[in-house]
Amino acid sequence: MYRIAVIGGDGIGPEVVQEGLKVLEATAARTGVKYELEHYDLGGDRYLRTGEELPDSVLEELRGFDAIYLGAVGHPEVAPGILEKNLLLRIRFELDQYINLRPVKLYPGVETPLANKGPDEIDFVVVRENTEGLYSGMGGIQYKGTPQEVSTQVHMTTRFGAERAIRYAFDLCRKRNRDKKLLLCAKTNVLTYVHDTWFRAFHEVGEADYPDIERDYAHVDATTMWMVKNPEWFDVIVTENMFGDIITDLGAMIQGGLGVAAGGNINPNGVSMFEPIGGSAPKYTGQNVVCPIAAISAVQMMMETLGEEETSARIEGAVERALASGKIKSLAAGRMGMSTSEVGDLIAGYAGE
Ligand code: IPM
Ligand code: MN
């Protein structure tokens, strides 16, 4: 019996999470996976009502689940940074979800903005380090509002943090057994301290423990170029937190948009959290018009991570079938030709067949 914490969160989060849970229910009825849900009221509305982003007691409870399912965080009436830092990033950091796993996979039937590229060319995974770098929160601001204002934001990097992300990426690359090629994406020509740590860790670990995996390197700017021009060159990319954030939005676009891009915040020895990587999209809230597939794929990643391969495969198969069916006109919000819940029904129907 899996215990899953559900945080619908802000904006369209609750709507898409509902569809993910619908598909889980239909699939579990077939595969026999047993789970129970606990819903948490967290996000901008709760913060505006009570001043709380994530009470310590709730954080402690979250540690006791098998997985967390998150919709979205971000509220137009809450200043930027408050919910992000004190809710989303706090969960990632406190639960030591040190990997942010973001597959970039173009399914058949999905339109990509890249000319002459299809599902054979767009199928790679980004392993984003998820607890360090510019996200560490170290730094500060002094003499604020004066001409002498000075601010710093420290790119905190540890050998330990870089190495565990790199090892995870090598293991994943071996498991995928595709091109067996791991690319480090960094900026060693400018970030000559922090990315030197990454670079040496990458090659030392690779040479010692992963001789079967080819190692490649690209600066982040070049990586974005190749993602557009030659996405077929990538198998697994490992990168630091901020670069991973940026390149996975580009990744989402080439795989068909934020409506289909899912991610997992993984602690391989603890509690992981799964989410669609798009935001709360406040302007579409409550309209039943956004694509729920990213949220459904997040459930699929959750089942895969829990070791429920049959359930995961069934959900992915249902998503693929829905996307190839031609029934969903577009994945853009408001242009699907179907509602959010109808897309959920379609996929739940296939998954439960
Ligand atoms: C993401 C988001 C978050 C991030 C924000 C909301 C803090 O953009 O999950 O990619 O930067 O990690
Ligand atoms: Mn992001």
Side-chain angles (χ1 to χ4, degrees):
M1 172 74 86
Y2 294 111
R3 292 186 62 238
I4 302 169
V6 181
I7 305 171
D10 297 319
I12 54 133
E15 296 166 46
V16 294
V17 154
Q18 192 179 324
E19 302 313 310
L21 294 175
K22 182 191 281 177
V23 173
L24 179 59
E25 191 181 339
T27 316
R30 286 300 310 256
T31 61
V33 165
K34 296 271 183 291
Y35 63 92
E36 62 184 29
L37 304 174
E38 188 149 334
H39 289 266
Y40 282 90
D41 170 27
L42 294 168
D45 288 331
R46 168 147 180 194
Y47 174 71
L48 291 171
R49 227 174 41 242
T50 68
E52 296 169 311
E53 300 98 332
L54 177 63
D56 293 345
S57 59
V58 174
L59 179 65
E60 288 317 307
E61 281 175 45
L62 291 177
R63 292 185 198 280
F65 286 89
D66 294 299
I68 304 168
Y69 184 34
L70 173 73
V73 167
H75 194 292
E77 285 154 48
V78 180
I82 294 180
L83 297 168
E84 290 84 350
K85 275 190 158 172
N86 302 329
L87 177 54
L88 179 63
L89 298 180
R90 185 154 178 243
I91 295 174
R92 288 180 182 170
F93 289 6
E94 293 272 355
L95 298 187
D96 204 21
Q97 294 164 342
Y98 62 86
I99 298 298
N100 197 321
L101 188 64
R102 297 187 162 180
V104 178
K105 182 170 181 176
L106 179 70
Y107 287 114
V110 177
E111 202 182 322
T112 174
L114 302 187
N116 308 318
K117 302 292 175 188
D120 289 340
E121 284 79 32
I122 302 174
D123 182 4
F124 59 94
V125 183
V126 177
V127 174
R128 165 186 173 189
E129 198 289 323
N130 211 29
T131 57
E132 300 194 347
L134 287 167
Y135 282 72
S136 73
M138 290 171 73
I141 189 157
Q142 211 44 293
Y143 312 122
K144 192 171 174 178
T146 75
Q148 290 76 32
E149 178 165 331
V150 45
S151 52
T152 59
Q153 201 104 33
V154 177
H155 194 303
M156 190 272 274
T157 302
T158 67
R159 168 74 191 221
F160 170 79
E163 189 169 323
R164 65 182 179 171
I166 286 165
R167 285 191 182 278
Y168 184 94
F170 272 117
D171 285 333
L172 176 69
C173 195
R174 194 178 264 169
K175 195 170 146 219
R176 259 169 76 84
N177 196 21
R178 201 167 170 269
D179 301 340
K180 293 208 162 187
K181 196 169 80 180
L182 179 63
L183 178 126
L184 171 65
C185 162
K187 186 79 180 172
T188 53
N189 52 347
V190 175
L191 303 183
T192 50
Y193 309 132
V194 291
H195 286 175
D196 185 48
T197 299
W198 272 85
F199 194 81
R200 280 179 290 109
F202 178 65
H203 288 294
E204 287 166 18
V205 165
E207 194 174 309
D209 295 332
Y210 301 91
D212 52 322
I213 308 293
E214 188 188 328
R215 297 189 297 277
D216 202 355
Y217 173 83
H219 293 319
V220 64
D221 41 358
T223 304
T224 60
M225 189 168 77
W226 302 129
M227 279 173 71
V228 172
K229 194 167 179 295
N230 295 98
E232 66 278 8
W233 287 356
F234 300 114
D235 177 8
V236 179
I237 299 177
V238 65
T239 192
E240 58 132 283
N241 208 343
M242 180 60 84
F243 290 176
D245 176 47
I246 298 167
I247 69 170
T248 53
D249 264 30
L250 177 57
M253 285 305 120
I254 68 173
Q255 75 183 116
L258 290 172
V260 287
N265 301 276
I266 311 280
N267 176 342
N269 314 303
V271 187
S272 300
M273 174 166 71
F274 301 84
E275 53 177 335
I277 82 169
S280 56
K283 69 176 178 182
Y284 297 117
T285 305
Q287 294 181 34
N288 205 18
V289 295
V290 297
C291 180
I293 293 178
I296 293 166
S297 294
V299 170
Q300 179 243 309
M301 288 181 77
M302 179 193 295
M303 288 297 123
E304 190 179 336
T305 306
L306 290 171
E308 294 299 335
E309 277 170 25
E310 191 195 344
T311 303
S312 159
R314 216 169 229 286
I315 298 174
E316 186 172 24
V319 165
E320 282 186 272
R321 197 167 147 199
L323 288 169
S325 70
K327 291 183 181 161
I328 309 171
K329 297 295 166 241
S330 155
L331 300 176
R335 277 185 253 135
M336 293 191 293
M338 292 175 90
S339 66
T340 305
S341 46
E342 282 167 346
V343 173
D345 289 340
L346 178 68
I347 296 173
Y350 292 151
E353 250 177 32

